[in-house]
Amino acid sequence: MTPQHHLPADIERTSMSIITEELAQRRLEVPPENAAVVKRVIHTTADFDYAQNLHFTPAAVAAGIAAMHEGVTIITDTNMALAGITKPGLAKLGGQAMCFMADPAVAAAAKEAGTTRAVAAMHKAAQEYPRAVLAVGNAPTALLAITEEIENGLRPALVIGVPVGFVNVVESKERLFATCGQYGVPAIVAMGRKGGSNVAAAICNALLYQAAEMLDPKARGWQ
């Protein structure tokens, strides 16, 4: 085997071209406003199901980009998702990303309430960063906590709901998406069982890259 490309920028550009071609071959139509997000997730997972599984409330991507422009705080439900979010993009826009899962206060609150750390972390996020982007890639209980907070008046800048798994995953996503639609909260949700922290980070990065004009890898310093 002789590798076709060696430099990261070449590899990414070629990958995105392949994704665009295969979407057309599979007759999977993606609205232009959502294309960068969908392609970034497919690039991360090599799974074209996301062209159909990712659901967007009206203007969700535009709302996410606007929030990134404003230097929004992104709060994730895992340190893995936190690690995957582009730090140069955050720095360029004056934003920050945080995860409360290892916070001792969150652990204590979860123990006292008899719930998960993910639930306690999202309640903390709602209290301290009510206009954050909430990016959930692992815990369906976090989505249920966010849903409850929205019903009680929380209006985050965007909710990214892409937990992976078999227990309460499908139901929590459907409930969140319906609630976000009802209350006008922008949301991007991967319906069904698929998702993960890598998907949550990929969606954040797609929004950050668009907001910071870094979609082309050359703008990220790659050759």
Side-chain angles (χ1 to χ4, degrees), residues 4-65:
Q4 293 179 312
H5 303 276
H6 298 277
L7 297 177
D10 287 338
I11 293 170
E12 180 172 324
R13 290 191 194 100
T14 303
S15 297
M16 289 299 184
S17 294
I18 292 170
I19 290 167
T20 300
E21 291 173 6
E22 289 201 23
L23 284 169
Q25 291 168 3
R26 295 165 185 256
R27 297 182 179 178
L28 295 172
E29 296 184 5
V30 179
E33 63 270 23
N34 301 337
V37 171
V38 172
K39 290 179 182 180
R40 180 64 53 183
V41 172
I42 294 172
H43 179 261
T44 299
T45 61
D47 189 342
F48 282 84
D49 283 354
Y50 284 104
Q52 297 171 297
N53 293 350
L54 283 173
H55 288 213
F56 300 76
T57 58
V61 170
I65 293 171

Side-chain angles (χ1 to χ4, degrees), residues 52-196:
Q52 297 171 297
N53 293 350
L54 283 173
H55 288 213
F56 300 76
T57 58
V61 170
I65 293 171
M68 299 303 176
H69 271 299
E70 295 170 2
V72 75
T73 296
I74 302 171
I75 298 177
T76 70
D77 70 324
T78 65
N79 281 304
M80 182 183 295
L82 177 65
I85 294 173
T86 171
K87 303 312 182 286
L90 282 170
K92 184 174 181 179
L93 296 167
Q96 63 177 340
M98 309 172 70
C99 179
F100 297 139
M101 292 296 283
D103 187 323
V106 166
K111 184 176 181 179
E112 182 178 352
T115 187
T116 67
R117 289 193 185 194
V119 168
M122 290 304 144
H123 287 316
K124 177 181 174 70
Q127 182 177 5
E128 298 184 7
Y129 298 92
R131 285 294 297 163
V133 168
L134 305 175
V136 177
N138 185 67
T141 55
L143 292 192
L144 295 176
I146 293 168
T147 299
E148 178 185 337
E149 290 283 0
I150 290 171
E151 291 171 341
N152 290 331
L154 179 70
R155 296 296 180 265
L158 174 69
V159 181
I160 298 168
V162 294
V164 59
F166 299 93
V167 179
N168 298 323
V169 170
V170 174
E171 297 84 355
S172 66
K173 290 174 179 178
E174 291 176 350
R175 182 179 170 193
L176 172 77
F177 195 75
T179 300
C180 286
Q182 179 181 354
Y183 290 96
V185 174
I188 302 172
V189 178
M191 295 301 190
R193 294 172 169 176
K194 293 183 178 181

